[in-house]
Each structure stands twice: as structure tokens, then as C-alpha cells.
Amino acid sequence: MENFKPYFAVIFTSTQKDTIEGYAEMSEKMAALAKQQPGYLGMDSARNEVGITVSYWESLKAIKQWKQQTDHLAAQLKGRQDWYSWYNVKVCKVEREYEFVNP
């Protein structure tokens, strides 16, 4: 933990509409595009009835730049119009982390 540097997590929780044509393709495109953004650190995602995607960023500035990225803005609009019935976004600072691995 001595080399740990705090970072930020954007937690996107959502429920989808019944028809989500084109969603999977856009999701893959946005994941690939996010990886190219300055300050991007990674992402975890899971979906059942509720989807949760957590993206990790070096700074609040990097998050703001991603939110305002042109293709991402278009995807956000499409999501509100066509794919999501509800979503919530939380931006958090990660002060520490740990994990367990069962060998």
C-alpha cells in the first residue's frame, strides 16, 4: 500500500428499457474509446436486472473531459432516449483498496 495513489471511480448504475437495439455495439465502442482517454485507469461492469459499470480515473479533470467527449455525449443522448429507463451516477474518491485471491 505504500505506493498507492488515490484515484476516482465513476459508478454508473442503470436499468434498461425492454428494447435496446444497438446497445451492445455502442457499449463496446464506448469501452474502447474510454481506454484512449487521458487519465483512464480501467473499468469493471456487471449486468442482470440492474447494470453497474465502474470506471476508474486519475483525476476529476479526466472524468470531466470524458463526460464531454463528443462521441460519448452522443452515446449519452442515445442512452437517455432509447436504452435506459433509469440511471444514477456517483463520482467517488478511492482512498485505499485491497483484494483477496484464493489460490
XYZ file of all heavy atoms in Angstrom:
850
model
N 0.813 -1.199 0.000
C 0.000 0.000 0.000
C 0.855 1.260 0.000
O 0.335 2.327 -0.180
C -0.925 0.029 1.210
C -2.112 -0.897 1.143
S -3.601 -0.233 0.393
C -3.920 1.247 1.308
N 2.149 1.127 0.212
C 2.965 2.334 0.306
C 3.060 3.081 -1.017
O 3.299 4.279 -1.020
C 4.351 2.006 0.853
C 5.097 0.952 0.040
C 6.320 0.454 0.745
O 6.173 -0.070 1.866
O 7.419 0.585 0.191
N 2.839 2.431 -2.158
C 2.864 3.094 -3.455
C 1.468 3.476 -3.945
O 1.317 3.940 -5.066
C 3.530 2.202 -4.503
C 5.006 2.014 -4.229
O 5.661 2.906 -3.697
N 5.524 0.852 -4.571
N 0.456 3.282 -3.111
C -0.922 3.561 -3.515
C -1.140 5.057 -3.691
O -0.748 5.860 -2.846
C -1.909 3.012 -2.487
C -3.338 3.264 -2.863
C -3.987 2.422 -3.740
C -4.022 4.358 -2.356
C -5.305 2.651 -4.100
C -5.328 4.603 -2.706
C -5.975 3.749 -3.582
N -1.768 5.416 -4.793
C -2.129 6.802 -5.056
C -3.650 6.869 -5.207
O -4.212 6.131 -6.019
C -1.452 7.280 -6.342
C -1.752 8.708 -6.695
C -1.054 9.123 -7.980
C -1.479 10.531 -8.364
N -0.971 10.915 -9.675
N -4.342 7.716 -4.427
C -5.796 7.814 -4.560
C -6.206 8.130 -6.000
O -5.465 8.777 -6.746
C -6.160 8.970 -3.626
C -5.074 8.977 -2.608
C -3.826 8.598 -3.380
N -7.383 7.660 -6.366
C -7.929 7.882 -7.709
C -9.433 8.010 -7.585
O -9.976 7.994 -6.479
C -7.513 6.756 -8.654
C -7.945 5.381 -8.223
C -9.150 4.832 -8.655
C -7.155 4.613 -7.372
C -9.548 3.565 -8.248
C -7.540 3.345 -6.967
C -8.739 2.825 -7.412
O -9.138 1.583 -7.010
N -10.121 8.149 -8.697
C -11.556 8.378 -8.681
C -12.293 7.251 -9.397
O -11.776 6.672 -10.351
C -11.891 9.724 -9.323
C -11.372 10.881 -8.517
C -10.081 11.347 -8.710
C -12.151 11.482 -7.545
C -9.584 12.398 -7.954
C -11.664 12.517 -6.784
C -10.376 12.982 -6.995
N -13.502 6.978 -8.907
C -14.367 5.974 -9.525
C -15.682 6.643 -9.905
O -16.245 7.417 -9.118
C -14.635 4.829 -8.544
N -16.152 6.360 -11.114
C -17.468 6.795 -11.556
C -18.338 5.542 -11.576
O -18.062 4.600 -12.318
C -17.428 7.453 -12.956
C -18.831 7.817 -13.417
C -16.523 8.678 -12.942
N -19.357 5.533 -10.744
C -20.250 4.381 -10.627
C -21.539 4.707 -11.382
O -22.279 5.617 -10.999
C -20.562 4.064 -9.157
C -19.260 3.873 -8.369
C -21.470 2.839 -9.054
C -19.449 3.871 -6.863
N -21.772 3.977 -12.462
C -22.954 4.172 -13.301
C -23.870 2.971 -13.094
O -23.528 1.849 -13.455
C -22.539 4.287 -14.773
C -23.687 4.483 -15.719
C -24.246 5.730 -15.885
C -24.190 3.415 -16.442
C -25.312 5.919 -16.770
C -25.248 3.587 -17.332
C -25.808 4.843 -17.487
N -25.022 3.201 -12.461
C -25.995 2.155 -12.184
C -27.226 2.434 -13.036
O -27.664 3.589 -13.116
C -26.374 2.167 -10.688
O -25.171 2.133 -9.914
C -27.236 0.988 -10.320
N -27.781 1.391 -13.679
C -28.886 1.638 -14.612
C -29.850 0.465 -14.720
O -29.503 -0.670 -14.397
C -28.323 1.937 -16.000
O -27.649 0.794 -16.516
N -31.037 0.786 -15.190
C -31.982 -0.222 -15.656
C -32.310 0.132 -17.103
O -32.371 1.310 -17.472
C -33.275 -0.270 -14.807
O -33.871 1.022 -14.786
C -32.982 -0.731 -13.396
N -32.508 -0.904 -17.901
C -32.740 -0.697 -19.329
C -34.207 -0.861 -19.680
O -34.968 -1.527 -18.983
C -31.919 -1.691 -20.146
C -30.438 -1.474 -20.014
C -29.632 -2.491 -20.805
O -30.061 -3.614 -21.014
N -28.458 -2.089 -21.239
N -34.569 -0.273 -20.817
C -35.893 -0.469 -21.390
C -35.958 -1.879 -21.971
O -34.945 -2.583 -22.060
C -36.140 0.566 -22.488
C -36.184 1.994 -21.973
C -36.427 2.963 -23.103
C -36.489 4.399 -22.618
N -36.696 5.348 -23.715
N -37.127 -2.296 -22.390
C -37.296 -3.634 -22.955
C -36.563 -3.800 -24.284
O -36.033 -4.859 -24.583
C -38.780 -3.958 -23.145
C -39.502 -4.122 -21.812
O -38.841 -4.476 -20.810
O -40.725 -3.892 -21.777
N -36.535 -2.754 -25.107
C -35.871 -2.819 -26.412
C -34.601 -1.982 -26.358
O -34.655 -0.784 -26.074
C -36.802 -2.273 -27.519
O -38.013 -3.028 -27.490
C -36.154 -2.388 -28.887
N -33.467 -2.636 -26.633
C -32.180 -1.933 -26.534
C -31.329 -2.180 -27.784
O -30.121 -2.363 -27.699
C -31.424 -2.334 -25.256
C -31.232 -3.851 -25.172
C -32.114 -1.792 -24.018
C -30.249 -4.291 -24.119
N -31.949 -2.154 -28.929
C -31.244 -2.397 -30.188
C -30.065 -1.437 -30.348
O -30.203 -0.231 -30.181
C -32.207 -2.221 -31.371
C -31.583 -2.556 -32.699
C -32.575 -2.467 -33.843
O -33.779 -2.659 -33.610
O -32.119 -2.201 -34.965
N -28.905 -1.990 -30.629
C -27.695 -1.203 -30.831
C -26.900 -0.924 -29.565
O -25.800 -0.377 -29.629
N -27.456 -1.302 -28.418
C -26.795 -1.002 -27.144
C -25.449 -1.709 -27.005
O -24.453 -1.087 -26.614
C -27.707 -1.377 -25.976
C -27.039 -1.183 -24.632
C -27.002 0.067 -24.045
C -26.425 -2.243 -23.976
C -26.373 0.266 -22.814
C -25.800 -2.055 -22.749
C -25.780 -0.809 -22.184
O -25.145 -0.614 -20.987
N -25.394 -3.001 -27.299
C -24.157 -3.771 -27.107
C -23.021 -3.197 -27.949
O -21.889 -3.056 -27.474
C -24.387 -5.243 -27.449
N -23.331 -2.843 -29.178
C -22.308 -2.272 -30.066
C -21.800 -0.939 -29.525
O -20.600 -0.675 -29.523
C -22.862 -2.092 -31.490
C -23.218 -3.384 -32.173
C -24.610 -3.934 -31.812
O -25.348 -3.315 -30.999
O -24.938 -5.012 -32.334
N -22.728 -0.094 -29.066
C -22.321 1.203 -28.527
C -21.518 1.027 -27.243
O -20.534 1.738 -27.022
C -23.538 2.085 -28.267
C -23.189 3.468 -27.751
S -22.274 4.485 -28.952
C -23.644 5.025 -29.976
N -21.913 0.074 -26.418
C -21.193 -0.189 -25.181
C -19.746 -0.583 -25.468
O -18.813 -0.083 -24.818
C -21.908 -1.285 -24.391
O -21.213 -1.557 -23.206
N -19.553 -1.461 -26.436
C -18.191 -1.870 -26.819
C -17.396 -0.693 -27.366
O -16.219 -0.517 -27.042
C -18.255 -2.983 -27.863
C -18.687 -4.314 -27.305
C -18.756 -5.401 -28.369
O -18.059 -5.279 -29.403
O -19.503 -6.379 -28.163
N -18.037 0.118 -28.187
C -17.374 1.298 -28.766
C -16.948 2.276 -27.669
O -15.825 2.796 -27.684
C -18.311 1.988 -29.759
C -17.733 3.203 -30.415
C -18.716 3.825 -31.402
C -18.162 5.107 -31.981
N -19.111 5.766 -32.894
N -17.821 2.515 -26.694
C -17.503 3.453 -25.618
C -16.402 2.903 -24.711
O -15.533 3.656 -24.260
C -18.750 3.791 -24.797
C -19.754 4.675 -25.517
S -19.077 6.277 -26.044
C -18.875 5.989 -27.811
N -16.414 1.599 -24.458
C -15.353 1.000 -23.645
C -13.999 1.164 -24.325
O -13.006 1.517 -23.677
C -15.653 -0.474 -23.386
N -13.958 0.931 -25.638
C -12.703 1.090 -26.386
C -12.264 2.555 -26.406
O -11.072 2.861 -26.254
C -12.876 0.557 -27.812
N -13.205 3.464 -26.573
C -12.894 4.891 -26.611
C -12.416 5.387 -25.246
O -11.475 6.185 -25.169
C -14.125 5.674 -27.070
C -13.960 7.164 -27.273
C -12.894 7.463 -28.332
C -15.292 7.786 -27.684
N -13.038 4.915 -24.173
C -12.629 5.332 -22.828
C -11.168 4.976 -22.574
O -10.419 5.759 -21.980
C -13.532 4.688 -21.775
N -10.756 3.796 -23.052
C -9.365 3.357 -22.865
C -8.359 4.313 -23.495
O -7.204 4.344 -23.087
C -9.174 1.959 -23.448
C -9.860 0.882 -22.660
C -9.685 -0.470 -23.319
C -10.455 -1.536 -22.570
N -10.359 -2.857 -23.190
N -8.783 5.080 -24.470
C -7.899 6.013 -25.175
C -7.826 7.382 -24.497
O -7.014 8.218 -24.881
C -8.377 6.205 -26.619
C -8.386 4.946 -27.438
C -9.044 5.153 -28.800
O -9.223 6.276 -29.259
N -9.404 4.058 -29.434
N -8.672 7.611 -23.492
C -8.752 8.925 -22.870
C -7.650 9.130 -21.842
O -7.320 8.213 -21.082
C -10.114 9.108 -22.189
C -11.300 8.946 -23.110
C -11.211 9.786 -24.363
O -11.083 11.011 -24.301
N -11.254 9.128 -25.510
N -7.078 10.331 -21.794
C -6.078 10.634 -20.764
C -6.676 10.456 -19.372
O -7.806 10.864 -19.116
C -5.733 12.105 -21.012
C -6.155 12.379 -22.419
C -7.318 11.466 -22.696
N -5.942 9.801 -18.501
C -6.375 9.623 -17.124
C -7.226 8.397 -16.873
O -7.580 8.121 -15.726
N -7.548 7.622 -17.911
C -8.347 6.404 -17.737
C -7.491 5.325 -17.096
O -6.357 5.095 -17.484
C -8.846 5.923 -19.101
C -9.579 4.608 -19.067
C -10.923 4.558 -18.731
C -8.939 3.418 -19.376
C -11.611 3.355 -18.703
C -9.613 2.206 -19.358
C -10.947 2.183 -19.021
O -11.621 0.988 -19.002
N -8.051 4.635 -16.090
C -7.317 3.596 -15.373
C -7.897 2.198 -15.547
O -7.191 1.215 -15.357
C -7.269 3.929 -13.879
C -6.585 5.242 -13.504
C -6.756 5.515 -12.016
C -5.121 5.215 -13.903
N -9.187 2.094 -15.873
C -9.797 0.777 -16.032
C -11.291 0.818 -15.818
O -11.874 1.872 -15.561
N -11.917 -0.384 -15.905
C -13.367 -0.463 -15.772
C -13.776 -1.866 -15.318
O -13.155 -2.854 -15.702
C -14.033 -0.147 -17.113
C -15.529 -0.186 -17.078
S -16.386 0.372 -18.582
C -15.308 -0.110 -19.889
N -14.833 -1.927 -14.516
C -15.497 -3.166 -14.123
C -16.974 -3.003 -14.449
O -17.529 -1.910 -14.290
C -15.356 -3.430 -12.617
C -13.919 -3.670 -12.199
O -13.217 -4.408 -12.899
O -13.508 -3.112 -11.164
N -17.624 -4.097 -14.888
C -19.027 -3.989 -15.264
C -19.748 -5.304 -15.041
O -19.168 -6.383 -15.215
C -19.128 -3.583 -16.738
O -20.453 -3.327 -17.100
N -21.033 -5.206 -14.654
C -21.890 -6.381 -14.485
C -23.324 -5.965 -14.790
O -23.709 -4.824 -14.545
C -21.787 -6.923 -13.064
N -24.094 -6.906 -15.353
C -25.492 -6.595 -15.650
C -26.366 -7.820 -15.453
O -26.069 -8.894 -15.953
C -25.665 -6.085 -17.070
C -27.149 -5.885 -17.431
C -27.377 -5.048 -18.656
N -26.994 -3.674 -18.487
C -27.689 -2.745 -17.807
N -28.807 -3.070 -17.207
N -27.263 -1.515 -17.725
N -27.442 -7.637 -14.698
C -28.568 -8.560 -14.612
C -29.801 -7.686 -14.785
O -29.917 -7.027 -15.807
C -28.573 -9.343 -13.298
C -27.543 -10.460 -13.305
O -27.454 -11.198 -14.277
N -26.767 -10.567 -12.250
N -30.669 -7.614 -13.795
C -31.798 -6.680 -13.873
C -31.305 -5.233 -13.797
O -31.858 -4.347 -14.413
C -32.806 -6.928 -12.748
C -33.516 -8.256 -12.839
C -32.695 -9.389 -12.231
O -31.959 -9.152 -11.239
O -32.762 -10.506 -12.764
N -30.262 -5.036 -13.007
C -29.633 -3.727 -12.853
C -28.203 -3.838 -13.352
O -27.515 -4.818 -13.072
C -29.635 -3.285 -11.367
C -28.856 -2.005 -11.170
C -31.067 -3.131 -10.860
N -27.761 -2.855 -14.106
C -26.383 -2.829 -14.578
C -25.555 -1.903 -13.714
O -26.030 -0.855 -13.276
N -24.318 -2.301 -13.464
C -23.380 -1.453 -12.727
C -22.059 -1.446 -13.482
O -21.471 -2.501 -13.727
C -23.144 -1.963 -11.291
C -24.454 -2.010 -10.523
C -22.120 -1.079 -10.566
C -24.350 -2.647 -9.151
N -21.641 -0.264 -13.873
C -20.342 -0.089 -14.505
C -19.559 0.913 -13.672
O -20.056 1.999 -13.365
C -20.473 0.423 -15.952
O -21.203 -0.545 -16.713
C -19.114 0.662 -16.590
N -18.351 0.533 -13.301
C -17.487 1.426 -12.536
C -16.252 1.691 -13.390
O -15.535 0.761 -13.766
C -17.062 0.809 -11.181
C -16.233 1.802 -10.383
C -18.279 0.348 -10.397
N -16.033 2.955 -13.724
C -14.812 3.323 -14.437
C -13.904 4.069 -13.468
O -14.368 4.754 -12.557
C -15.119 4.170 -15.679
O -15.814 5.353 -15.342
N -12.600 3.920 -13.682
C -11.598 4.454 -12.762
C -10.740 5.487 -13.485
O -10.312 5.261 -14.623
C -10.723 3.316 -12.218
C -11.545 2.213 -11.598
C -11.806 1.042 -12.302
C -12.086 2.366 -10.325
C -12.582 0.028 -11.736
C -12.862 1.353 -9.755
C -13.102 0.194 -10.470
O -13.872 -0.798 -9.921
N -10.481 6.603 -12.801
C -9.812 7.754 -13.418
C -8.792 8.367 -12.471
O -8.971 8.346 -11.257
C -10.861 8.805 -13.795
C -11.886 8.260 -14.731
C -13.041 7.592 -14.394
C -11.835 8.269 -16.154
N -13.711 7.211 -15.533
C -13.000 7.618 -16.622
C -10.929 8.782 -17.082
C -13.269 7.452 -17.982
C -11.200 8.627 -18.430
C -12.353 7.967 -18.871
N -7.762 8.938 -13.051
C -6.704 9.587 -12.260
C -7.173 10.861 -11.571
O -6.663 11.216 -10.513
C -5.509 9.931 -13.155
C -4.724 8.734 -13.618
C -3.558 9.107 -14.525
O -3.409 10.299 -14.883
O -2.794 8.207 -14.884
N -8.124 11.577 -12.187
C -8.488 12.896 -11.665
C -9.925 13.261 -12.025
O -10.519 12.682 -12.941
C -7.554 13.963 -12.245
O -7.772 14.084 -13.647
N -10.451 14.257 -11.326
C -11.766 14.788 -11.669
C -11.733 15.457 -13.041
O -12.721 15.420 -13.779
C -12.230 15.781 -10.601
C -12.543 15.177 -9.233
C -12.811 16.276 -8.202
C -13.711 14.214 -9.318
N -10.606 16.049 -13.383
C -10.456 16.669 -14.712
C -10.606 15.622 -15.813
O -11.283 15.861 -16.816
C -9.097 17.359 -14.819
C -8.855 18.023 -16.161
C -7.485 18.672 -16.218
C -7.239 19.248 -17.610
N -5.901 19.827 -17.723
N -10.000 14.463 -15.639
C -10.109 13.389 -16.634
C -11.560 12.928 -16.779
O -12.041 12.673 -17.896
C -9.209 12.214 -16.257
N -12.280 12.840 -15.664
C -13.694 12.452 -15.698
C -14.504 13.489 -16.462
O -15.345 13.148 -17.308
C -14.245 12.274 -14.268
C -13.566 11.085 -13.591
C -15.768 12.119 -14.276
C -13.820 11.002 -12.101
N -14.263 14.750 -16.184
C -14.990 15.827 -16.864
C -14.721 15.798 -18.365
O -15.644 15.954 -19.178
C -14.584 17.179 -16.281
C -15.352 18.340 -16.850
C -14.976 19.645 -16.174
C -15.780 20.791 -16.765
N -15.444 22.074 -16.136
N -13.477 15.581 -18.747
C -13.139 15.514 -20.174
C -13.829 14.330 -20.846
O -14.310 14.446 -21.971
C -11.628 15.433 -20.358
C -10.939 16.740 -20.032
C -9.424 16.630 -20.065
O -8.853 15.559 -19.880
N -8.769 17.762 -20.275
N -13.904 13.191 -20.172
C -14.598 12.027 -20.726
C -16.087 12.310 -20.873
O -16.694 12.003 -21.889
C -14.356 10.804 -19.845
C -15.214 9.630 -20.189
C -16.072 8.985 -19.361
C -15.297 8.942 -21.455
N -16.679 7.944 -20.021
C -16.230 7.904 -21.314
C -14.672 9.116 -22.688
C -16.555 7.035 -22.345
C -15.001 8.249 -23.730
C -15.927 7.224 -23.549
N -16.686 12.925 -19.869
C -18.115 13.234 -19.927
C -18.421 14.151 -21.104
O -19.485 14.047 -21.709
C -18.584 13.874 -18.621
C -20.077 14.185 -18.635
C -20.612 14.474 -17.273
C -22.065 14.900 -17.266
N -22.972 14.067 -17.991
N -17.492 15.022 -21.461
C -17.711 15.989 -22.532
C -17.151 15.544 -23.889
O -17.267 16.275 -24.865
C -17.090 17.333 -22.139
C -17.763 17.938 -20.921
C -17.079 19.193 -20.424
O -15.953 19.499 -20.775
N -17.778 19.932 -19.584
N -16.596 14.346 -23.967
C -16.055 13.837 -25.234
C -17.208 13.689 -26.232
O -18.280 13.190 -25.892
C -15.358 12.495 -24.971
C -14.406 12.039 -26.020
C -15.068 11.377 -27.217
O -16.214 10.975 -27.175
N -14.323 11.274 -28.294
N -17.013 14.141 -27.463
C -18.076 14.247 -28.465
C -18.839 12.940 -28.700
O -20.074 12.920 -28.652
C -17.490 14.760 -29.800
O -16.818 15.999 -29.549
C -18.579 14.982 -30.828
N -18.140 11.848 -28.946
C -18.822 10.575 -29.187
C -19.532 10.073 -27.931
O -20.603 9.474 -28.003
C -17.833 9.512 -29.683
C -17.278 9.841 -31.059
O -17.992 10.486 -31.859
O -16.128 9.451 -31.341
N -18.939 10.333 -26.781
C -19.561 9.933 -25.520
C -20.832 10.744 -25.271
O -21.840 10.202 -24.785
C -18.556 10.086 -24.372
C -19.042 9.538 -23.078
N -18.790 10.165 -21.884
C -19.758 8.433 -22.759
C -19.321 9.472 -20.891
N -19.928 8.412 -21.401
N -20.825 12.036 -25.613
C -22.034 12.857 -25.488
C -23.169 12.284 -26.339
O -24.324 12.220 -25.899
C -21.753 14.306 -25.907
C -21.001 15.168 -24.904
C -20.602 16.493 -25.548
C -21.838 15.408 -23.663
N -22.840 11.865 -27.564
C -23.853 11.272 -28.449
C -24.392 9.969 -27.856
O -25.601 9.703 -27.911
C -23.268 11.036 -29.834
N -23.519 9.157 -27.272
C -23.946 7.898 -26.648
C -24.836 8.173 -25.433
O -25.824 7.462 -25.206
C -22.728 7.073 -26.238
N -24.507 9.199 -24.652
C -25.327 9.561 -23.502
C -26.739 9.947 -23.942
O -27.737 9.504 -23.342
C -24.696 10.731 -22.747
C -23.396 10.389 -22.049
C -22.723 11.632 -21.522
O -23.295 12.377 -20.727
N -21.497 11.869 -21.948
N -26.840 10.737 -24.991
C -28.142 11.155 -25.512
C -28.942 9.945 -25.995
O -30.129 9.798 -25.679
C -27.956 12.165 -26.641
C -29.241 12.675 -27.297
C -30.133 13.379 -26.286
C -28.904 13.601 -28.457
N -28.286 9.068 -26.746
C -28.942 7.853 -27.243
C -29.425 7.005 -26.063
O -30.527 6.449 -26.099
C -27.959 7.077 -28.114
C -28.513 5.836 -28.735
C -29.133 6.120 -30.064
C -29.438 4.806 -30.779
N -30.678 4.866 -31.512
N -28.615 6.909 -25.023
C -28.998 6.148 -23.837
C -30.251 6.701 -23.178
O -31.160 5.948 -22.827
N -30.312 8.022 -23.017
C -31.493 8.640 -22.399
C -32.732 8.468 -23.277
O -33.829 8.237 -22.775
C -31.234 10.123 -22.127
C -30.317 10.360 -20.945
C -30.271 11.827 -20.536
N -29.775 12.691 -21.587
C -28.480 12.963 -21.809
N -27.560 12.422 -21.029
N -28.118 13.771 -22.777
N -32.559 8.555 -24.580
C -33.697 8.463 -25.499
C -34.174 7.032 -25.707
O -35.371 6.786 -25.779
C -33.327 9.057 -26.860
C -33.144 10.554 -26.849
C -32.648 11.087 -28.191
O -32.107 10.360 -29.018
N -32.823 12.380 -28.402
N -33.239 6.086 -25.834
C -33.594 4.761 -26.344
C -33.345 3.585 -25.399
O -34.043 2.575 -25.522
C -32.820 4.473 -27.637
C -33.166 5.430 -28.756
O -34.254 6.044 -28.704
O -32.352 5.567 -29.695
N -32.363 3.638 -24.528
C -31.941 2.427 -23.835
C -32.250 2.375 -22.343
O -32.509 1.311 -21.803
C -30.442 2.194 -24.034
C -30.067 1.970 -25.452
C -30.755 1.232 -26.378
C -28.926 2.476 -26.130
N -30.098 1.253 -27.583
C -28.962 2.007 -27.468
C -27.859 3.276 -25.752
C -27.991 2.305 -28.400
C -26.882 3.581 -26.678
C -26.958 3.098 -27.994
N -32.174 3.491 -21.657
C -32.302 3.462 -20.200
C -33.675 3.928 -19.738
O -34.193 4.934 -20.208
C -31.233 4.340 -19.539
C -29.834 3.868 -19.809
C -28.939 4.652 -20.517
C -29.409 2.625 -19.367
C -27.653 4.203 -20.776
C -28.126 2.175 -19.617
C -27.251 2.977 -20.329
O -25.983 2.537 -20.584
N -34.225 3.205 -18.772
C -35.433 3.681 -18.100
C -35.046 4.477 -16.845
O -35.815 5.282 -16.347
C -36.355 2.519 -17.749
O -35.685 1.554 -16.975
N -33.835 4.230 -16.346
C -33.328 4.929 -15.158
C -31.816 4.756 -15.104
O -31.285 3.727 -15.518
C -33.950 4.309 -13.899
C -33.301 4.764 -12.618
C -33.615 5.872 -11.896
C -32.236 4.113 -11.917
N -32.791 5.944 -10.780
C -31.943 4.862 -10.783
C -31.489 2.948 -12.160
C -30.947 4.518 -9.878
C -30.499 2.599 -11.259
C -30.242 3.380 -10.129
N -31.125 5.785 -14.628
C -29.724 5.610 -14.263
C -29.331 6.586 -13.181
O -30.000 7.580 -12.929
C -28.780 5.696 -15.470
C -28.635 7.055 -16.122
C -27.831 8.043 -15.586
C -29.277 7.322 -17.330
C -27.681 9.265 -16.208
C -29.125 8.536 -17.963
C -28.331 9.508 -17.399
O -28.179 10.722 -18.023
N -28.231 6.266 -12.523
C -27.677 7.083 -11.456
C -26.165 7.068 -11.617
O -25.583 6.031 -11.934
C -28.080 6.496 -10.094
C -27.491 7.265 -8.942
O -26.368 6.997 -8.511
N -28.234 8.228 -8.438
N -25.537 8.212 -11.396
C -24.087 8.324 -11.498
C -23.548 8.862 -10.177
O -24.058 9.856 -9.650
C -23.672 9.271 -12.653
C -22.151 9.404 -12.723
C -24.243 8.790 -13.981
N -22.526 8.185 -9.673
C -21.836 8.638 -8.471
C -20.354 8.769 -8.795
O -19.784 7.884 -9.430
C -22.014 7.636 -7.327
C -23.440 7.495 -6.838
C -23.525 6.413 -5.779
C -24.921 6.258 -5.248
N -25.848 5.640 -6.187
N -19.743 9.845 -8.348
C -18.307 10.049 -8.506
C -17.691 10.002 -7.120
O -18.100 10.754 -6.229
C -18.001 11.396 -9.200
C -16.501 11.609 -9.319
C -18.677 11.460 -10.567
N -16.737 9.091 -6.931
C -16.165 8.845 -5.611
C -14.637 8.889 -5.670
O -14.041 8.482 -6.657
C -16.556 7.458 -5.116
S -18.317 7.124 -5.210
N -14.035 9.299 -4.575
C -12.584 9.233 -4.448
C -12.224 7.944 -3.722
O -12.770 7.649 -2.653
C -12.052 10.433 -3.673
C -10.536 10.488 -3.630
C -10.058 11.778 -3.006
C -8.547 11.860 -3.056
N -8.062 13.098 -2.421
N -11.339 7.176 -4.300
C -10.881 5.919 -3.703
C -9.613 6.224 -2.904
O -8.591 6.598 -3.468
C -10.611 4.849 -4.784
C -10.116 3.558 -4.149
C -11.862 4.609 -5.624
N -9.710 6.069 -1.597
C -8.601 6.383 -0.703
C -7.700 5.181 -0.447
O -6.529 5.336 -0.121
C -9.143 6.907 0.631
C -9.913 8.206 0.505
C -9.013 9.410 0.318
O -7.782 9.305 0.511
O -9.543 10.471 -0.033
N -8.269 3.981 -0.533
C -7.481 2.768 -0.360
C -8.232 1.618 -1.008
O -9.413 1.710 -1.300
C -7.186 2.470 1.101
C -8.366 2.057 1.924
C -7.963 1.872 3.391
N -9.058 1.301 4.148
C -9.097 0.059 4.585
N -8.081 -0.751 4.382
N -10.138 -0.391 5.259
N -7.523 0.523 -1.211
C -8.134 -0.677 -1.771
C -7.369 -1.897 -1.304
O -6.219 -1.796 -0.874
C -8.157 -0.624 -3.301
C -6.794 -0.686 -3.940
C -6.861 -0.719 -5.461
O -7.634 0.048 -6.039
O -6.109 -1.518 -6.045
N -8.018 -3.029 -1.362
C -7.370 -4.304 -1.079
C -8.157 -5.387 -1.777
O -9.275 -5.167 -2.231
C -7.238 -4.570 0.421
C -8.534 -4.559 1.183
C -9.264 -5.733 1.367
C -9.041 -3.379 1.727
C -10.457 -5.729 2.061
C -10.231 -3.370 2.424
C -10.934 -4.549 2.600
O -12.114 -4.540 3.286
N -7.553 -6.567 -1.901
C -8.238 -7.681 -2.550
C -7.836 -8.986 -1.912
O -6.844 -9.067 -1.176
C -7.949 -7.693 -4.057
C -6.526 -8.020 -4.417
C -6.301 -8.021 -5.927
O -7.236 -8.237 -6.713
O -5.146 -7.777 -6.293
N -8.609 -10.000 -2.196
C -8.352 -11.363 -1.754
C -8.314 -12.248 -2.993
O -9.148 -12.104 -3.883
C -9.457 -11.831 -0.810
C -9.435 -13.311 -0.556
C -8.511 -13.873 0.313
C -10.321 -14.145 -1.206
C -8.492 -15.235 0.542
C -10.313 -15.515 -0.992
C -9.388 -16.067 -0.114
N -7.364 -13.115 -3.065
C -7.270 -14.101 -4.143
C -7.113 -15.463 -3.502
O -6.198 -15.691 -2.709
C -6.073 -13.799 -5.084
C -5.982 -14.860 -6.155
C -6.193 -12.420 -5.689
N -7.999 -16.390 -3.835
C -7.939 -17.731 -3.305
C -7.114 -18.589 -4.266
O -7.543 -18.830 -5.382
C -9.364 -18.299 -3.165
C -9.398 -19.567 -2.374
O -8.369 -20.142 -2.032
N -10.596 -20.023 -2.089
N -5.933 -19.010 -3.835
C -5.031 -19.742 -4.744
C -5.560 -21.097 -5.195
O -6.301 -21.752 -4.647
C -3.751 -19.915 -3.938
C -4.106 -19.628 -2.527
C -5.396 -18.879 -2.506
